[in-house]
């Protein structure tokens, strides 16, 4: 049987289509698996570089942790922390021209080896006094944090503001006796 040139071209084209279709049908999953594996390798290498960078930063983070840990005041097991913190918040407010009309402590919460006391306050003052008070709270040697703050204009007084804030105080308690009444801060 002799094939004409036209039949040879059609047979070659059909064979090429079958080869390309078969390669695509059987090869596409392999290409997808290879692409996914390459992406997984790239992701793993990125995670490895990140882990190595974090491990290299370990001394820096340990130093920062030690510095913060030294800033945390130590109290005895039975020392009254809340009264000391109420005085501290009131003193900071008085120093910066913030008038506190209500100051109410919350219960002491123990979080791991640290403890925390929240103090809710109702305040009145001008914007400049508020900014200086918040800065003083942030830079205070003890660990103080204002997590909630509301501000509204005071009625009948131009330039006066009023609102509420909650100051959180972090400290630790020594497991020994509560003989020392003052905190030990550097």
């Amino acid at each position: 049987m002799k094939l004409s040139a036209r039949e040879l071209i059609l047979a070659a084209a059909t064979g090429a289509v079958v080869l390309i279709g078969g390669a695509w049908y059987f090869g596409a999953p392999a290409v997808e698996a290879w692409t996914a594996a390459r992406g997984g390798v790239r992701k793993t290498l990125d995670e490895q570089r990140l882990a190595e960078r974090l491990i290299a930063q370990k001394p820096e983070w340990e130093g920062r942790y030690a510095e913060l840990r030294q800033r945390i005041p130590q109290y005895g097991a039975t020392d009254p922390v809340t009264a000391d913190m109420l005085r501290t918040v009131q003193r900071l407010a008085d120093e910066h021209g913030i008038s506190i009309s209500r100051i109410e402590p919350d219960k002491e919460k123990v979080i791991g080896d640290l403890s925390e006391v929240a103090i809710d306050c109702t305040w009145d003052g001008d914007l400049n006094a508020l900014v200086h008070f918040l800065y003083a709270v942030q830079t205070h040697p003890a660990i103080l944090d204002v997590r909630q703050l509301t501000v509204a204009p005071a009625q009948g007084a131009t330039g006066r503001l009023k609102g509420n804030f909650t100051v959180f105080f972090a400290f630790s308690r020594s497991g020994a006796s509560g003989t020392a009444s003052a905190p030990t801060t550097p």
Side-chain angles (χ1 to χ4, degrees):
M1 166 168 152
K2 194 159 187 176
L3 297 175
S4 69
R6 181 173 178 232
E7 290 173 337
L8 284 173
I9 291 172
L10 284 174
T14 304
V17 167
V18 169
L19 276 173
I20 291 172
W24 177 77
Y25 181 76
F26 292 110
V31 169
E32 287 178 17
W34 179 73
T35 305
R38 229 179 118 150
V41 167
R42 186 176 297 126
K43 181 180 176 187
T44 303
L45 288 174
D46 290 343
E47 288 175 355
Q48 180 183 2
R49 280 192 288 272
L50 175 65
E52 288 171 352
R53 199 170 8 155
L54 289 174
I55 289 170
Q57 293 176 350
K58 182 180 178 183
E60 176 189 344
W61 286 107
E62 285 177 342
R64 289 175 73 180
Y65 172 74
E67 177 186 326
L68 281 175
R69 191 73 179 155
Q70 288 176 351
R71 283 185 52 201
I72 295 175
Q74 290 273 332
Y75 288 87
T78 58
D79 289 344
V81 177
T82 305
D84 188 35
M85 279 301 86
L86 292 174
R87 284 190 299 273
T88 300
V89 170
Q90 186 67 50
R91 180 182 51 78
L92 287 173
D94 291 343
E95 287 175 2
H96 294 88
I98 294 290
S99 141
I100 296 182
S101 58
R102 181 185 62 83
I103 188 165
E104 200 171 291
D106 201 4
K107 292 181 182 177
E108 181 179 321
K109 294 178 186 172
V110 178
I111 305 164
D113 61 344
L114 293 177
S115 297
E116 182 178 73
V117 171
I119 300 170
D120 295 317
C121 302
T122 302
W123 64 274
D124 185 330
D126 63 6
L127 180 61
N128 191 34
L130 176 63
V131 169
H132 284 90
F133 169 75
L134 291 174
Y135 180 77
V137 166
Q138 195 65 35
T139 58
H140 192 269
I143 305 283
L144 296 174
D145 186 26
V146 176
R147 294 187 195 160
Q148 296 174 345
L149 172 68
T150 60
V151 180
Q155 292 180 345
T158 305
R160 297 289 290 177
L161 301 171
K162 67 178 183 175
N164 297 315
F165 62 82
T166 304
V167 176
F168 288 82
F169 171 62
F171 61 96
S172 64
R173 291 204 179 265
S174 61
S177 66
T179 57
S181 61
T184 56
T185 56

